Amino acid sequence: MEAFNSLILILDATLRVATPLIFAALAGMFSERTGIVNIALEGKILASAFAGAAAAYVTNSPWMGLLAGVMVSVVFAWMHAFATVTHNGDHVVSGMAINILAAGLTAALGNFWFRQGGNTPNLVDPFNDIDARFTPITFPFADQIADVPIIGGIYSELLSGHFLLVYIALLAVPVCWFVMFRTRFGLRMRAVGENPSAVDTAGISVTGMRYLSLTICGVLAGLAGVYLSVAVTAQFLPNMSAGKGYMALAALIFGKWHPRGALLACLMFGVLQAIADRSQGASLGGFSIPVQAIEALPYILTVILLAGFIGKSIPPKAIGKPYVKERE
Amino acid sequence: MTAQTDVAAQMAIELRGIDKRFGPVHANKYIDLKVEQGTIHGIVGENGAGKSTLMSIIYGFYEADEGDILIDGQVTKISDSKIAIASGIGMVHQHFMLIQNMTALENVVLGAERGIMLNDSMKHAREVLERLSKEYSLEVPLDTPVEQLSVGLQQRIEILKALYRGAKILILDEPTGVLTPQETEHLFKVLASLKEQGTTVIMITHKLQEIMAATDNVSVMRRGEMVAHVKTSETSREQLAELMVGRKVLLRVEKGEAAPKDALLEVSNLSWTAPDGVLKLDDVNLNVRAGEIVGIAGVSGNGQSELLDVLSGIKQVQKGEVKVNGHVIDKSHPLTPSEVRAIKVGHIPEDRHRMGLVNSFAADEAFILGYHRLPQYNGKVFSLRNEITKDCAEKMEKWDVRPQDPNLKTANFSGGNQQKLVIAREMEQDPDVLLVGQPTRGVDIGAIESIHNRIIDMRDAGKAVLLVSVELEEIMSLADRILVMFDGKVVGEVPASVANEQILGLMMANIVPDEVKALQKEAQA
């Protein structure tokens, strides 16, 4: 029973940790499947986390935070599109520029507006009548059956009691799959990333497809950022995205640019993170394992797995290449 | 359509004064063209004559700077491919516009979907395609990813794509470049049946023989200008060649009997596996004697490139043995490309842009690539720039490389002159064994003539020449013996005196005709 309970707790934490990764990986999928290398996910997450927290605090509404976060992320995505699609810029360089811009801008604006060293004020502050954090959703009867063995653990602990965005993230996976593989938009999107000239000669605008995909990418990355600041931490902290954009990108590559694969990869990262969190202070044969070593574990595993444990992952053929009509 | 008395009404497409410039390059100079409804119209011209640009303008890929396009007698402004498709124009590009990891069905549906959801589009397309493919004998597997299909099948998908979109005018850009003779024949049958159903076909090619075989009318382009419109039945290959080049051209290569001596290049049991595990060379055996040209025919991608790479030292021998001039190269005795050069093997690579030249180098720098360590180019510390430039200038004059400017960037020479530069470099080193890959790819007819003569000269000077080419005509006119490769294997050997397109075509599809089998038996006995 003890083991079961810790399993439930680990899985519960997995969902929480994996949610922003899932949003970001799906965001990356929309962009990379149309051929735009998206190393800028990190910056989009960070910018939307800041905008979300700031707007939620000012308006005292998590929903306004959500709206603002997503909008800012979309604007960042358009900047990326403007650089890479309209001006055929290098995807990685412009992506890094966006990341640096987001890191600097959020800290500077945060400090300028709120004067708390770059942080935004806490979104839950009863003394000032501030309550702008998303609240977890409790399923019906979750409290009543919490003590029933097994079922209670699964229903009340694992399934119930998450933020709305967690459920949206899980739902987004099949929705994105459907969009990508069962709709006209998805077919065109996949085609643009493979062979833009073929799409162009079929009478479809490559530029239009790429802008549209990056817009969707912006929305999804925005949700990841808002989840971090408005739901989990209830506050923006400088650099709070902490590499999640890159992790999501890795998950996307693991998952072979496929929603199902990406979901599994995100959950795997989530599990590793959850285990690492729970194992702090654990010891191995009298040695106490340093916390830092355990925290580094997911990243080390990422490197090892990426280095060749997952079989061949074939990227979209036209990825990273600007589309220029060539002469003859 | 209006009354038949209106001349324009019988024209499927008419161009009036189409003009297009790309910066300083005047690609199309005030082109006029009339293509009759329900005919097959050929457009010939050398590389860079402006054929592809013109077709891209009709298909809305580029917009003309000036001039009008009339479709069925109506002036139509085609500003993008969407309008071209809506006007009933379909195009099969030279480099297929297919998504390699999608199926034929998905490729056809892409851009011609019937609604937001795919299911309905797919079902409809499947029905239409099944009907079309029966009607025009264009059968293709609909549910296999395109990358697993042969180029011949991929081309069928391209044609189906155009027909599915209701094309009344079908443009084909160099459609036979990658096909076997049998596939080409089938394509021409398909085009003929399309014509019967009233479709107008425009075919761009530089192969005169195919123009003669398949078209009703021909237009000839030269340096961006339309120089002639003729009925195919009233012209000849020789006349067309002359129109294309602007002077008389010898289509046949004049050469005497070969006088082969000892084998200089012997390849035995050579196999080579690519890093992805695909067997690219499968137990290849061949020899080339001094004073003969051995041609390797085959559809591209059947191991010819790998053979040249291994022989020239770019790829290492994995299994088997290569003997050059008495030197043995095998797994335990690998040689680098420069060591291979040192034992007097010259290599004219298949792709001059990727392997033969550095496009951003000046001609004289490109001219010493691979031979830059030779003492005549190097002082104690610095290279002898003046010597190099002087040497290059001399060779350029001798080999008629134009313009004769050793300081000009390689990229600014025409394809033919770039190729001459590479050929001059390799032949001037007086190799005993010469490996030649696609010597006239992307080279204009005038230059082809002189390149062919140079290769024959090498043979007559007692060199062993191994020639790889996908142009059957080239192989047949140059080689003394012809080997055909399929799937990494040498399918068989035919003396040039016996070879014809039929025999080679069958062998390229891995079928050895009985007469060749008999010959081979005879040779063994």
Side-chain angles (χ1 to χ4, degrees), chain A residues 61-130:
Chain A
S61 151
W63 296 102
M64 290 313 286
L66 181 85
L67 192 68
V70 166
M71 270 167 42
V72 165
S73 173
V74 167
V75 168
F76 269 69
W78 285 342
M79 272 165 33
H80 200 198
F82 185 70
T84 58
V85 183
T86 308
H87 291 291
N88 300 319
D90 185 277
H91 298 185
V92 174
V93 172
S94 57
M96 279 315 290
I98 283 179
N99 290 347
I100 294 166
L101 178 68
L105 202 60
T106 50
L109 285 179
N111 207 18
F112 179 65
W113 285 337
F114 304 109
R115 312 227 168 261
Q116 297 189 7
N119 298 0
T120 61
N122 205 309
L123 294 180
V124 183
D125 184 359
F127 297 110
N128 291 318
D129 246 352
I130 293 289

Side-chain angles (χ1 to χ4, degrees), chain A residues 187-200 202 317, chain B residues 96-104 106-108 110 144-147 154 157-158 161:
Chain A
L187 179 74
R188 292 177 173 192
M189 190 182 92
R190 285 180 286 136
V192 172
E194 289 290 328
N195 186 352
S197 335
V199 172
D200 196 358
K317 272 201 203 70
Chain B
F96 298 148
M97 293 297 178
L98 295 172
I99 315 294
Q100 289 292 322
N101 61 0
M102 291 188 180
T103 65
E106 286 174 309
N107 268 290
V108 170
L110 178 68
T144 314
V146 167
E147 59 201 348
Q154 295 193 15
I157 298 171
E158 283 283 30
K161 233 168 90 179

Side-chain angles (χ1 to χ4, degrees), chain B residues 205-224:
Chain B
T205 181
H206 66 275
K207 294 187 185 172
L208 299 174
Q209 203 180 350
E210 289 168 1
I211 287 285
M212 299 308 293
T215 64
D216 300 306
N217 299 301
V218 196
S219 299
V220 185
M221 288 188 77
R222 183 169 75 223
R223 292 199 198 116

Side-chain angles (χ1 to χ4, degrees), chain B residues 81-98:
Chain B
S81 304
K82 215 170 174 171
I83 299 174
I85 294 168
S87 317
I89 299 172
M91 180 147 176
V92 176
H93 295 261
Q94 185 178 5
H95 304 286
F96 298 148
M97 293 297 178
L98 295 172

Side-chain angles (χ1 to χ4, degrees), chain B residues 33-291:
Chain B
L33 175 69
K34 286 179 181 177
V35 179
E36 253 174 77
Q37 187 103 45
T39 61
I40 300 181
H41 194 111
I43 296 183
V44 286
E46 298 191 319
N47 289 295
K51 307 172 302 235
S52 293
T53 305
L54 188 65
M55 292 306 122
S56 296
I57 288 171
I58 298 179
Y59 192 63
F61 209 57
Y62 303 130
E63 229 178 318
D65 300 335
E66 276 174 62
D68 290 322
I69 301 173
L70 283 76
I71 294 170
D72 290 332
Q74 301 291 319
V75 175
T76 311
K77 195 171 150 40
I78 303 178
S79 52
D80 65 31
S81 304
K82 215 170 174 171
I83 299 174
I85 294 168
S87 317
I89 299 172
M91 180 147 176
V92 176
H93 295 261
Q94 185 178 5
H95 304 286
F96 298 148
M97 293 297 178
L98 295 172
I99 315 294
Q100 289 292 322
N101 61 0
M102 291 188 180
T103 65
L105 198 61
E106 286 174 309
N107 268 290
V108 170
V109 165
L110 178 68
E113 304 90 344
R114 285 156 61 85
I116 291 174
M117 295 299 155
L118 278 184
N119 256 348
D120 171 51
S121 309
M122 292 290 193
K123 229 173 79 196
H124 178 258
R126 189 183 294 275
E127 280 164 24
V128 174
L129 287 181
E130 273 165 7
R131 183 171 55 73
L132 283 175
S133 56
K134 268 204 204 88
E135 202 170 322
Y136 298 107
S137 46
L138 284 167
E139 285 85 1
V140 285
L142 289 178
D143 300 302
T144 314
V146 167
E147 59 201 348
Q148 295 170 18
L149 302 177
S150 70
V151 277
L153 287 175
Q154 295 193 15
Q155 188 177 58
R156 287 185 193 182
I157 298 171
E158 283 283 30
I159 297 174
L160 284 171
K161 233 168 90 179
L163 296 179
Y164 182 73
R165 287 160 170 74
K168 290 273 157 260
I169 301 165
L170 186 64
I171 304 171
L172 299 122
D173 190 0
E174 298 283 0
T176 61
V178 287
L179 302 183
T180 64
Q182 279 77 11
E183 283 173 325
T184 302
E185 208 171 294
H186 183 268
L187 171 70
F188 288 167
K189 274 187 199 144
V190 170
L191 296 185
S193 70
L194 281 170
K195 175 182 143 181
E196 250 165 59
Q197 306 286 323
T199 306
T200 308
V201 178
I202 302 178
M203 188 169 98
I204 304 174
T205 181
H206 66 275
K207 294 187 185 172
L208 299 174
Q209 203 180 350
E210 289 168 1
I211 287 285
M212 299 308 293
T215 64
D216 300 306
N217 299 301
V218 196
S219 299
V220 185
M221 288 188 77
R222 183 169 75 223
R223 292 199 198 116
E225 279 174 278
M226 207 45 110
V227 290
H229 303 282
V230 284
K231 274 199 181 332
T232 310
S233 52
E234 291 165 9
T235 185
S236 65
R237 287 174 60 185
E238 285 72 18
Q239 192 199 355
L240 288 177
E242 202 181 321
L243 284 167
M244 271 165 70
V245 185
R247 63 178 169 85
K248 274 214 185 305
V249 193
L250 221 50
L251 288 178
R252 237 164 246 301
V253 184
E254 306 275 350
K255 63 166 186 176
E257 277 294 306
K261 297 193 186 70
D262 299 337
L264 286 181
L265 173 69
E266 288 167 274
V267 176
S268 31
N269 308 102
L270 182 68
S271 294
W272 191 84
T273 309
D276 59 4
V278 179
L279 189 61
K280 289 290 191 179
L281 292 178
D282 188 357
D283 198 24
V284 171
N285 289 286
L286 61 89
N287 64 68
V288 186
R289 291 169 293 179

Side-chain angles (χ1 to χ4, degrees), chain A residues 130-219:
Chain A
I130 293 289
D131 185 13
R133 182 193 191 187
F134 279 115
T135 43
I137 292 174
T138 310
F139 284 6
F141 310 116
D143 292 339
Q144 287 86 328
I145 65 166
D147 295 331
V148 180
I150 312 286
I151 297 174
I154 292 177
Y155 185 79
S156 308
E157 187 61 42
L158 179 56
L159 297 180
S160 168
H162 290 288
F163 297 107
L164 178 67
L165 283 170
V166 175
Y167 303 111
I168 292 180
L170 291 175
L171 207 63
V173 176
V175 169
C176 289
W177 175 87
F178 185 86
V179 167
M180 202 157 81
F181 293 102
R182 288 289 180 272
T183 67
R184 173 175 68 190
F185 171 70
L187 179 74
R188 292 177 173 192
M189 190 182 92
R190 285 180 286 136
V192 172
E194 289 290 328
N195 186 352
S197 335
V199 172
D200 196 358
T201 52
I204 303 164
S205 160
V206 174
T207 307
M209 285 303 300
R210 289 189 164 167
Y211 263 90
L212 198 53
S213 295
L214 275 174
T215 307
I216 297 175
C217 162
V219 171

